[in-house]
Amino acid sequence: MNEVTARRARGGGGSARRAERTAVSLETARFITRNIPNFEILNEEALQIIEWNAETVLEEIGVNFLENPAALQRWRDAGADVRGERVHIPRGLARKLCATAPSSFTQHARNPARNVEIGGRSLVLAPVYGPPFVRDHEGGRRYATMEDFRNFVKLGYMSKWLHHSGGTVCEPTDVPVNKRHLDMLHAHMTLSDKPFMGSVTEPSRAEDSVEMAKLLFGAEFVDQNTVMTSLVNINSPLTFDATMMGALEVYAAANQAAIVSPFIVGGAMAPVTVAGTLTQVLAEVLAGVAYSQLIRPGAPVIFGAFVTSIDMNSGAPTFGTPEAAHITYGAGQLARRLGLPYRSGGSFCGSKLPDAQAAYETANSLNVALMSGVNFMLHACGWLEGGLVSSYEKFVMDADQLGTLHHLAQGVAVDENGQGMEAIREVGPGGHYLGCAHTQANFKSAFWRSDLFDYKPFETWEEEGARDTEVLAAARVKKLLADYQRPALDEAVAESLSAYVARKKEAAPDAFI
Amino acid sequence: MNEVTARRARGGGGSARRAERTAVSLETARFITRNIPNFEILNEEALQIIEWNAETVLEEIGVNFLENPAALQRWRDAGADVRGERVHIPRGLARKLCATAPSSFTQHARNPARNVEIGGRSLVLAPVYGPPFVRDHEGGRRYATMEDFRNFVKLGYMSKWLHHSGGTVCEPTDVPVNKRHLDMLHAHMTLSDKPFMGSVTEPSRAEDSVEMAKLLFGAEFVDQNTVMTSLVNINSPLTFDATMMGALEVYAAANQAAIVSPFIVGGAMAPVTVAGTLTQVLAEVLAGVAYSQLIRPGAPVIFGAFVTSIDMNSGAPTFGTPEAAHITYGAGQLARRLGLPYRSGGSFCGSKLPDAQAAYETANSLNVALMSGVNFMLHACGWLEGGLVSSYEKFVMDADQLGTLHHLAQGVAVDENGQGMEAIREVGPGGHYLGCAHTQANFKSAFWRSDLFDYKPFETWEEEGARDTEVLAAARVKKLLADYQRPALDEAVAESLSAYVARKKEAAPDAFI
């Protein structure tokens, strides 16, 4: 962001400056930079087998690019063997094409302090994406509305450990399908100053996203910088449909980032075994990322892997399971060997309520994501019921837990202060450390503490109503929404965004399918 | 276990054989053997600094062995510099003494199929230890009784993923303090056939434990084999009290295993920093394990680390935190470098209820324990409210989650079946895998599934009462206790145990302090 746009984006008039001063007190943690190793579950031999097999899949079986003659022509020109809509990619070609994709990139936010680096040892956290329902403690489960959407954007903006505003934090079902992307983008751009995602449900909506980003950041800035990261799902197995590829084409051409992400329920959209799933995931990502580089070499792109296991009794997807962990660890290794940023993990759970099941499954998933080297974690908070529901309470519960990942990633300090030998000498056998100088000097930052959980004595807790985590979270949701203050935005920019949305809405009849 | 005792322990008469046949259908998973790497958070330099500092602590500051002149004499004879009750251990001496402790040992169960290997790449799971209260969904929180104790032993026996019956699964407060160890041991020995722990609250109670084990296993067998693993806490910082050391002396002399375990609330009993705490933990374990080898070289002993963080606002211990994770990972590395089995981890949480907080904290702790190379995990299920409460519902919730650790530890198969290339070829782009041959051949074992969680469609779940995890768990507790059948035990052995308990109880007046 250059000086001019930075100043413009951060607000002009006196009231904006006052709002900014208030908003500055809102603390957002910097994206995580890992100071701990990644967990490497596959050995070299296993990695080579999977990589060899993925190339075999691309060459021998091939991938489908549906209803997309231009894509087929691009593949022909690149040297692939195209038969009908099936693209057979010779061994080595996809990997070679992937080499122009950056290993790391900056996604800019309108508040430069909220810029994120995606790749390398970073971990950027973004909220849940896609649920058609919401749930809260008082109202129960219901279809999501635009008001819910705005509330979740506000909660994301207020969440200290969340670096990114996300995309479809819930599906606003009360807005026509062909217009809701406009309201969603408008909400992210005006109610938060964190980075956000663009629309992918039609190529024209991706174009709207780029146009609105130009209004917010300035056209020149958007041409030269990445200001959106958007989610392009692969239709597993091995199928690239015209809608998602159309969005990818728009974003890659505009130098905006895309997550190329197989969406896999294991045993349904991929083989029932971990190594088999990793093979297919790698083949799909190789093909998708290679295609992005055919559109524009150097376009930023992320190796995605959304993988759940399945309950073979009922067919229900299951979350926080060991097999999902194996795949998440393995895919991280494959992404690093490809030199691409890695997207996986999330606050995944199958539970209908933000209860113990939800928390076990979610904690399993969050810990695996940190340890597997994920660079961009979508769904990092708020996911409930297999992704059908955005939960208000779980949003703040998960967002609180994301603090543990920040502290875990710091690793262990072994400098003189970390060693604490003076404290051991001062206290000695049988003493206690609470009052010693070393403890006094370090206690404020020594231990992560939850801003949500109950740490009170039993009697106090009981007197205060014996509240469980969901009830505590419901109170926190109310407080955060009550305390919310919109971050300052230049009035001219705000008006241009509103005018764009109004104009586009007027230009087409409502459509609800 | 030799042929004779094996046959004897497994039961004699016809009714016992019938009971055995029924009991055999009860599945208990074999202890975990890791096929995945350990997570190594500390680099070589950090490890060397901590190891050097720990030796400095032992030599320069020393450790206290209180009210134990015989221990002081043993240390003098071994070459330590003893001043008053303070033992200064010259650099290198403790580590040298530790070298005679085995890196792995078998703890025998009266059912040989339930024997466990403790050390190497194994992970043995045992239930919660020590809470004076219990909680269940219907009855709430109350003082624990002997009936509760027996119930928890039964639940442990019925839990597929639990390898060990544990020790003080709750504190039976309705039995006199000086006699309750007899009832507790009797319960473990007769209501379960899994391995168990001995009493440590008085040296004489450790002696009772050994005597009762001899009745159960045969005296000769106990002389030659390890049949108990008991918990010897160090009074951190750097203090070894006469009670715990008395128990250690009894067990080491009898070739029975002891966990030598600092009990640390960070910032209170150890420095507020991770590296400082690891230094003190290592110093304490070095001194304690060395002392066990002074009693009997080769006695089996475990490197223990019970560590929690603290909420510096309230002084409450906190669980499932990043700092506890750092310490658990680091202590695992230190234990492996010492060549000792490692005890840490557990279903730790501070929550008052088996709710989302409890589950987040617990899942964090369980995952860390697996990845840090723990060989013996006490408190693996049932822990609630900072260890004040044994929770019936949380016991079965955690015990179910322990299945995820088993499956995670299996690692990733990359044999031909694991690679699944035939499945990818068979299904092809746009197909689905549910019906393919590879899926059919593998689906039964491909994915771990919970025996407790809700995987039902939303509508079914709602019709069935919209139950949360605690309610599902309460139903499971009831069913397990209703289905419980005592494992067969030779009548003569059972009578000798009952007679021993009766005789010892009669020999002393009740004491409740």
Side-chain angles (χ1 to χ4, degrees):
Chain A
M1 187 174 272
N2 62 41
E3 274 298 302
V4 178
T5 53
R7 235 182 301 131
R8 205 188 58 177
R10 284 199 304 240
S15 68
R17 273 197 296 275
R18 276 192 300 280
E20 189 184 7
R21 275 199 301 276
T22 315
V24 165
S25 70
L26 241 190
E27 193 185 356
T28 293
R30 190 168 177 277
F31 60 86
I32 293 172
T33 302
R34 287 179 178 81
N35 194 30
I36 58 173
N38 296 312
F39 184 70
E40 314 268 334
I41 201 167
L42 301 174
N43 61 22
E44 179 65 25
E45 188 195 357
L47 289 163
Q48 288 187 11
I49 288 172
I50 291 166
E51 287 173 342
W52 176 267
N53 285 350
E55 298 274 7
T56 302
V57 168
L58 291 176
E59 181 169 82
E60 181 192 313
I61 303 170
V63 296
N64 283 352
F65 275 74
L66 301 180
E67 299 169 10
N68 198 341
L72 298 174
Q73 189 56 48
R74 286 189 187 98
W75 275 117
R76 257 184 229 108
D77 295 345
D81 174 15
V82 180
R83 308 175 207 164
E85 293 189 311
R86 184 75 61 93
V87 180
H88 296 264
I89 306 172
R91 185 175 300 277
L93 175 60
R95 188 169 282 267
K96 194 180 133 217
L97 290 169
C98 288
T100 54
S103 61
S104 186
F105 64 91
T106 303
Q107 182 184 349
H108 294 262
R110 71 172 168 101
N111 177 350
R114 307 270 158 97
N115 290 355
V116 292
E117 191 68 24
I118 301 177
R121 302 199 62 76
S122 80
L123 172 54
V124 173
L125 301 170
V128 62
Y129 187 106
F133 297 100
V134 298
R135 173 182 277 280
D136 67 16
H137 185 63
E138 278 181 13
R141 184 188 194 256
R142 60 185 189 277
Y143 275 104
T145 65
M146 196 59 216
E147 192 192 344
D148 292 312
F149 189 98
R150 292 194 187 97
N151 284 338
F152 280 110
V153 172
K154 291 174 183 176
L155 289 177
Y157 173 66
M158 305 282 281
S159 295
K160 177 178 173 185
W161 304 115
L162 206 61
H163 318 115
H164 202 283
S165 194
T168 310
V169 288
C170 62
E171 193 70 48
T173 58
D174 56 341
V175 182
V177 167
N178 61 337
K179 299 178 180 178
R180 57 177 73 146
H181 67 289
L182 299 163
D183 286 345
M184 293 195 278
L185 281 159
H186 188 265
H188 283 298
M189 290 177 173
T190 58
L191 301 179
S192 180
D193 63 2
K194 295 185 181 182
F196 56 86
M197 303 171 78
S199 176
V200 295
T201 51
E202 276 288 332
S204 67
R205 296 173 199 158
E207 283 162 8
D208 281 337
S209 306
V210 174
E211 288 308 308
M212 288 178 71
K214 286 179 178 172
L215 296 176
L216 183 65
F217 288 94
E220 199 190 337
F221 189 82
V222 172
D223 281 343
Q224 291 163 12
N225 296 282
T226 298
V227 300
M228 282 182 290
T229 297
S230 304
L231 178 61
V232 171
N233 276 325
I234 296 167
N235 216 331
S236 302
L238 302 169
T239 303
F240 296 78
D241 66 52
T243 301
M244 282 289 165
M245 287 305 101
L248 177 63
E249 289 156 16
V250 169
Y251 287 122
N255 206 28
Q256 299 305 309
I259 306 165
V260 176
S261 205
F263 179 95
I264 289 175
V265 177
M269 288 91 125
V272 78
T273 53
V274 168
T277 298
L278 285 170
T279 300
Q280 184 182 306
V281 163
L282 180 57
E284 291 175 344
V285 170
L286 278 167
V289 169
Y291 184 65
S292 76
Q293 302 302 300
L294 289 179
I295 302 294
R296 176 167 167 165
V301 66
I302 299 176
F303 181 131
F306 177 94
V307 181
T308 81
S309 43
I310 191 171
D311 170 25
M312 283 294 185
N313 287 5
S314 66
T318 52
F319 299 90
T321 59
E323 295 76 23
H326 287 158
I327 293 168
T328 308
Y329 288 129
Q333 293 179 267
L334 296 169
R336 287 192 287 283
R337 285 161 71 100
L338 253 179
L340 291 175
Y342 176 42
R343 170 263 163 142
S344 196
S347 59
F348 298 138
C349 63
S351 186
K352 315 294 185 291
L353 297 169
D355 60 0
Q357 175 182 346
Y360 282 117
E361 293 174 333
T362 294
N364 290 348
S365 301
L366 293 177
N367 282 297
V368 167
L370 176 70
M371 305 290 265
S372 63
V374 166
N375 299 115
F376 186 81
M377 198 197 317
L378 194 58
H379 309 301
C381 61
W383 170 289
L384 194 69
E385 204 188 314
L388 282 175
V389 173
S390 292
S391 159
Y392 278 87
E393 284 78 20
K394 188 152 180 288
F395 193 102
V396 301
M397 287 157 58
D398 295 338
D400 180 72
Q401 274 293 296
L402 297 178
T404 67
L405 305 187
H406 284 74
H407 280 241
L408 263 171
Q410 289 170 6
V412 178
V414 288
D415 58 358
E416 201 178 311
N417 182 63
Q419 292 176 45
M421 285 296 282
E422 283 315 309
I424 303 178
R425 287 193 179 93
E426 180 184 338
V427 171
H432 74 82
Y433 287 83
L434 284 174
C436 84
H438 183 255
T439 303
Q440 292 301 314
N442 288 281
F443 83 91
K444 277 187 186 161
S445 61
F447 298 121
W448 175 80
R449 86 182 291 281
S450 167
D451 289 325
L452 172 66
F453 287 172
D454 161 68
Y455 293 149
K456 293 177 176 165
F458 176 79
E459 291 71 19
T460 314
W461 169 80
E462 202 171 39
E463 277 164 23
E464 291 180 1
R467 292 176 293 180
D468 69 8
T469 319
E470 188 182 355
V471 174
L472 292 171
R476 187 169 169 80
V477 167
K478 276 196 181 158
K479 174 157 174 49
L480 287 174
L481 291 178
D483 288 353
Y484 171 80
Q485 285 187 307
R486 185 188 287 251
L489 178 63
D490 182 89
E491 275 176 35
V493 171
E495 277 164 26
S496 72
L497 286 170
S498 298
Y500 185 91
V501 170
R503 182 160 51 80
K504 294 293 288 193
K505 281 189 169 181
E506 274 165 31
D510 290 355
F512 268 96
I513 48 162
Chain B
M1 186 174 273
N2 62 41
E3 274 298 302
V4 177
T5 53
R7 236 182 300 130
R8 205 187 59 177
R10 284 199 304 237
S15 68
R17 272 197 296 276
R18 276 192 299 281
E20 189 185 5
R21 275 198 300 276
T22 315
V24 164
S25 72
L26 242 190
E27 194 185 355
T28 293
R30 190 168 176 277
F31 60 86
I32 293 172
T33 302
R34 287 179 178 81
N35 193 30
I36 58 173
N38 296 311
F39 184 70
E40 315 267 334
I41 201 166
L42 301 174
N43 61 23
E44 179 65 26
E45 188 196 356
L47 289 162
Q48 288 187 11
I49 288 172
I50 291 165
E51 287 173 342
W52 176 267
N53 285 350
E55 297 274 7
T56 303
V57 168
L58 291 176
E59 181 170 83
E60 180 192 314
I61 303 171
V63 295
N64 283 352
F65 275 74
L66 301 180
E67 300 169 11
N68 198 341
L72 299 175
Q73 190 55 48
R74 287 189 187 99
W75 276 116
R76 256 183 230 108
D77 295 346
D81 173 15
V82 179
R83 309 175 208 164
E85 293 189 313
R86 184 75 60 95
V87 180
H88 296 264
I89 306 171
R91 185 175 300 275
L93 175 60
R95 188 169 283 265
K96 192 179 136 219
L97 290 170
C98 289
T100 54
S103 60
S104 186
F105 64 90
T106 303
Q107 181 183 350
H108 293 262
R110 70 171 167 100
N111 177 350
R114 308 268 157 98
N115 290 356
V116 292
E117 191 68 25
I118 301 177
R121 302 200 63 76
S122 80
L123 172 53
V124 173
L125 302 169
V128 63
Y129 186 107
F133 298 100
V134 297
R135 174 182 276 279
D136 67 15
H137 185 63
E138 277 182 13
R141 184 188 194 256
R142 59 186 189 276
Y143 276 104
T145 66
M146 196 59 216
E147 192 192 343
D148 292 311
F149 188 99
R150 291 194 189 98
N151 283 338
F152 280 109
V153 172
K154 291 174 184 176
L155 290 177
Y157 173 67
M158 305 281 283
S159 295
K160 177 178 173 184
W161 305 114
L162 207 61
H163 317 114
H164 202 283
S165 195
T168 310
V169 288
C170 62
E171 192 70 48
T173 59
D174 56 341
V175 181
V177 167
N178 61 336
K179 299 178 180 179
R180 58 178 72 146
H181 66 290
L182 298 163
D183 286 345
M184 292 195 278
L185 281 159
H186 188 264
H188 282 299
M189 290 175 172
T190 59
L191 301 179
S192 180
D193 63 2
K194 296 184 180 183
F196 57 85
M197 303 172 77
S199 176
V200 295
T201 51
E202 276 288 333
S204 68
R205 296 172 199 158
E207 283 161 7
D208 281 336
S209 306
V210 175
E211 287 309 308
M212 289 178 70
K214 286 179 178 173
L215 296 176
L216 183 67
F217 288 94
E220 198 190 338
F221 189 82
V222 172
D223 281 343
Q224 291 164 10
N225 296 282
T226 297
V227 301
M228 282 182 290
T229 297
S230 304
L231 178 61
V232 172
N233 276 325
I234 296 167
N235 216 333
S236 303
L238 302 169
T239 303
F240 296 78
D241 65 53
T243 301
M244 282 288 165
M245 287 306 101
L248 177 63
E249 289 156 15
V250 170
Y251 287 123
N255 205 29
Q256 299 304 309
I259 306 165
V260 176
S261 206
F263 179 95
I264 289 175
V265 177
M269 289 91 125
V272 78
T273 53
V274 169
T277 298
L278 285 170
T279 300
Q280 184 182 305
V281 163
L282 179 58
E284 292 175 343
V285 171
L286 278 167
V289 169
Y291 183 65
S292 76
Q293 302 302 300
L294 288 179
I295 302 295
R296 175 166 167 165
V301 67
I302 299 176
F303 181 131
F306 178 95
V307 181
T308 82
S309 43
I310 191 170
D311 169 25
M312 282 295 187
N313 287 5
S314 66
T318 52
F319 299 89
T321 60
E323 295 77 22
H326 287 157
I327 293 168
T328 308
Y329 287 129
Q333 293 179 266
L334 296 169
R336 287 191 288 282
R337 285 162 70 101
L338 252 178
L340 291 175
Y342 176 41
R343 170 261 162 143
S344 195
S347 58
F348 298 138
C349 63
S351 186
K352 315 294 185 291
L353 297 170
D355 59 0
Q357 175 182 347
Y360 283 116
E361 293 174 333
T362 294
N364 290 348
S365 301
L366 292 177
N367 282 296
V368 167
L370 176 70
M371 305 289 265
S372 63
V374 166
N375 299 115
F376 187 82
M377 198 198 314
L378 195 57
H379 310 301
C381 61
W383 169 290
L384 194 68
E385 203 187 317
L388 282 174
V389 173
S390 292
S391 159
Y392 278 86
E393 285 78 20
K394 189 152 179 291
F395 193 101
V396 301
M397 287 157 58
D398 295 338
D400 179 72
Q401 274 293 297
L402 297 178
T404 67
L405 305 188
H406 285 73
H407 280 241
L408 263 172
Q410 289 170 7
V412 178
V414 288
D415 58 358
E416 201 177 312
N417 182 62
Q419 292 176 44
M421 285 296 282
E422 282 316 309
I424 303 178
R425 286 193 180 95
E426 180 184 338
V427 171
H432 73 83
Y433 287 82
L434 284 175
C436 84
H438 183 254
T439 303
Q440 293 301 315
N442 288 281
F443 83 92
K444 277 188 186 162
S445 61
F447 298 120
W448 175 79
R449 86 182 292 282
S450 167
D451 290 325
L452 173 66
F453 287 171
D454 162 68
Y455 293 149
K456 293 178 176 163
F458 176 79
E459 292 71 20
T460 314
W461 169 81
E462 202 171 38
E463 277 164 23
E464 292 180 1
R467 292 176 294 180
D468 69 9
T469 319
E470 187 182 356
V471 174
L472 292 172
R476 187 169 169 80
V477 167
K478 276 196 181 158
K479 173 156 175 50
L480 287 174
L481 291 179
D483 289 353
Y484 170 80
Q485 285 187 306
R486 185 188 288 252
L489 178 63
D490 182 89
E491 275 176 34
V493 171
E495 277 163 25
S496 72
L497 287 170
S498 298
Y500 185 90
V501 170
R503 182 160 51 79
K504 294 292 288 194
K505 281 189 169 181
E506 274 165 30
D510 291 355
F512 268 96
I513 47 162

